[in-house]
Amino acid sequence: MPDILVIGGGFAGVWAAASAVRALREAGACHHSVTLVTPGEDLVLRPRLYEAAPHTMKVPLDRVLGPVGVGRVAATVTGIDTAGRRVTATDPVGRELRLPYRRLILACGSRLTRPALPGADLLFDVDDIDAATALDTHLHGLPRGPVAPGRFTALVVGSGFTGLETATELVGRLRAIAAPLGAAAEVRVVLVERAPVLAPGLGPGPRPVIVEALERLGVETRRATSLERVTPDAATLSDGAVLPTRTVVWTGGVVAAPLTALVPGARDPIGRLEVDEFLRVPGVPGVYAAGDTAAARADPDHLVLPSCQYAIPLGKHAGHNAATSLTGRAPAPFRPAPHVTTLDLGEAGAVSTTGWERTVRLTGAEAKTLKRTLTAQWIRPPLDDAEELLRQADPAFRTRRTTPS
Ligand SMILES: Cc1cc2nc3c(=O)[nH]c(=O)nc-3n(C[C@H](O)[C@H](O)[C@H](O)COP(=O)(O)OP(=O)(O)OC[C@H]3O[C@@H](n4cnc5c(N)ncnc54)[C@H](O)[C@@H]3O)c2cc1C
C-alpha cells in the first residue's frame, strides 16, 4: 500500500511527492512509500503552452522523481473513497486499478471552461499540451490552405493572463509562418474582451503597459464584446462584426479539475477545495489538496490564484505535511512569498508586478529577461539529481529573487 498517494503529475503533484520523500528521509522514515498516479509520463510546463513548439514543453516525470524513489502509476483516477481510503483508476489499457492510501494529496489541477456557442468545437486553446499542439499544427498548416481573407488572422477571446500572452505571442508566431510566403503583412491578431476594460483581472496597475504593448504589436482590441459564433472561416462577435479567420483561440478561465468534486468539502466558486493552513481538507481525514485544486489562503485577505507561483509551494507544503502526519514531526503552515506577476507581451517585452494591487516593478527587456528565466529555468525541476530535487523540495526553499509567476 502506498503510504502517501499523490494524484496528479503537474507542478503541485511533483513537488508534493518530492517534499514528502524529503520529510520522510529527514525523519528516518524511509520505509514509508510515496506513489504518484497520473495518466501521462511527463510534467507539462503549462505556463509555456502559448509559445511556439508547445509539444516540447514537458519534462519526463521519471527523470525528476525516479531518482528519489517515488513510484509512478500511469493511470487516470476515476473514483475516490475517502472513508475507505482508496482510489480507483484506469490504466492506459483499460484495466481498473485499486490504490489504497494512508495519506492522499489531491493535485489534479484545473481545466479551461468552455463556452456553449455555435461552432464551439472549432475553438482552439492552449490549456493542455494536446490542445496547444493542435493549435501549433493548425498554424503551420495555414500556408497550405486556400488563399482567402483572414488566412493569417487570429482571434483571441479573453484578455486575462493567458489571452494576453497568447495574443501578443501569436503576432510573432504568425509572422514567422507567413513571411516565407511574402504574406507577413497579412498577419492580424484581434483580442476580444467581454469587460469594458482590457485585462480586467490584472487591474489598473499594469494596464497602461499592456495597452501600449498591444498597440506597438498591432494587436487590435475589442472591448465590451464577446464571441457569438464560429465557422471554419469566420467568427461572429456580439457587436455584429463578422471577422474572416480560421483561428479562434478561447481563453475563458479555469475551474478545478472534475476529480475535485469526488472529495467531500467546501469549495470556492471555481470548484477548488477549501483547506486549512496545513492544506488538509477539513472533515476528510488523511486528505490534502494542493495546486489548482486548493482554495488556500495566501494571506488573510486573499486566496491563492490558480498559478505555478502557488502550485509549487502548495505542493511542497502538502507533501511535507502529509509526511509529518505519519512521522509525528511538526507540520509547516502555508505562508507563501509575496504575490508577484510576470506577464509575457511577446516581442513587446513583458511586465512584472508586485503585490495584490499589482504595482509595476519591471517592464520591457528587463521584465522579459525575468520571464524567460522563470519559464526556461525556475519552473523546471532538476532532472536526474536527487540531492538538488530534495534541496529544492524544502517548503522553506525560495527560488533566487522570488517564486515564479
Ligand atoms: C497557457 C497558460 C499559461 C500560464 N501561465 C502562467 C504563468 O505565467 N504563471 C503562473 O504562475 N501560472 C501560469 N499558468 C497556470 C499554471 O500552469 C497552473 O496554475 C499550474 O500548472 C497548476 O499546477 P497543478 O499541478 O495544480 O495542475 P496541472 O499543472 O494542471 O497538473 C494537473 C495534473 O493532474 C493530472 N490529472 C488530472 N486529472 C487526473 C485524474 N483524474 N487522474 C490522475 N491525474 C489527473 C494531470 O494529468 C496533470 O498531470 C498558466 C497556465 C496556462 C494554461
Side-chain angles (χ1 to χ4, degrees), residues 124-205:
F124 290 95
D125 68 72
V126 291
D127 195 47
D128 61 39
I129 199 161
D130 291 342
T133 303
L135 170 62
D136 198 51
T137 305
H138 165 81
L139 295 176
H140 284 278
L142 290 173
R144 294 190 296 279
V147 180
R151 178 167 58 149
F152 292 115
T153 296
L155 176 68
V156 178
V157 188
S159 70
F161 205 93
T162 302
L164 288 165
E165 291 196 327
T166 303
T168 51
E169 188 74 7
L170 271 175
V171 175
R173 288 174 69 184
L174 278 168
R175 282 197 190 130
I177 291 166
L181 281 71
E186 278 182 50
V187 169
R188 185 179 175 203
V189 177
V190 182
L191 179 64
V192 170
E193 170 55 55
R194 187 172 51 178
V197 290
L198 291 171
L202 291 169

Side-chain angles (χ1 to χ4, degrees), residues 8-12 38-39 46-47 77 108-109 161 291-292 306-309 371 405:
F11 293 97
T38 192
R46 276 179 89 196
V77 173
C108 54
F161 205 93
D292 287 2
S307 65
C308 280
Q309 177 186 355
K371 181 73 180 183
S405 169

Side-chain angles (χ1 to χ4, degrees), residues 2-225:
D3 292 293
I4 299 176
L5 182 64
V6 180
I7 303 178
F11 293 97
V14 162
W15 285 108
S19 183
V21 170
R22 181 183 184 282
L24 291 171
R25 286 191 187 180
E26 251 186 12
C30 297
H31 53 284
H32 292 309
S33 65
V34 180
T35 298
L36 183 142
V37 54
T38 192
E41 297 192 344
D42 302 299
L43 163 66
V44 173
L45 304 172
R46 276 179 89 196
R48 299 197 62 179
L49 293 180
Y50 65 93
E51 294 183 42
H55 61 282
T56 64
M57 303 303 179
K58 58 186 182 181
V59 296
L61 286 167
D62 288 345
R63 291 184 58 191
V64 180
L65 296 174
V68 296
V70 173
R72 180 170 68 84
V73 176
T76 300
V77 173
T78 52
I80 303 175
D81 173 2
T82 53
R85 295 203 186 204
R86 64 179 162 258
V87 308
T88 47
T90 307
D91 77 4
V93 295
R95 279 185 307 231
E96 186 173 281
L97 311 177
R98 284 174 199 279
L99 304 168
Y101 64 82
R102 294 177 67 198
R103 301 289 181 271
L104 180 70
I105 301 173
L106 189 70
C108 54
S110 58
R111 69 167 191 192
L112 181 67
T113 54
R114 289 167 206 283
L117 51 82
D121 56 317
L122 298 168
L123 294 171
F124 290 95
D125 68 72
V126 291
D127 195 47
D128 61 39
I129 199 161
D130 291 342
T133 303
L135 170 62
D136 198 51
T137 305
H138 165 81
L139 295 176
H140 284 278
L142 290 173
R144 294 190 296 279
V147 180
R151 178 167 58 149
F152 292 115
T153 296
L155 176 68
V156 178
V157 188
S159 70
F161 205 93
T162 302
L164 288 165
E165 291 196 327
T166 303
T168 51
E169 188 74 7
L170 271 175
V171 175
R173 288 174 69 184
L174 278 168
R175 282 197 190 130
I177 291 166
L181 281 71
E186 278 182 50
V187 169
R188 185 179 175 203
V189 177
V190 182
L191 179 64
V192 170
E193 170 55 55
R194 187 172 51 178
V197 290
L198 291 171
L202 291 169
R207 191 170 295 131
V209 181
I210 293 167
V211 170
E212 193 191 323
L214 293 169
E215 284 172 3
R216 198 172 125 198
L217 294 169
V219 175
E220 297 169 41
T221 57
R222 308 269 175 104
R223 285 165 284 169
T225 306

Side-chain angles (χ1 to χ4, degrees), residues 300-321:
D301 300 323
H302 300 95
L303 291 179
V304 296
L305 296 182
S307 65
C308 280
Q309 177 186 355
Y310 293 111
I312 293 171
L314 282 166
K316 291 178 188 177
H317 282 78
H320 177 89
N321 293 341

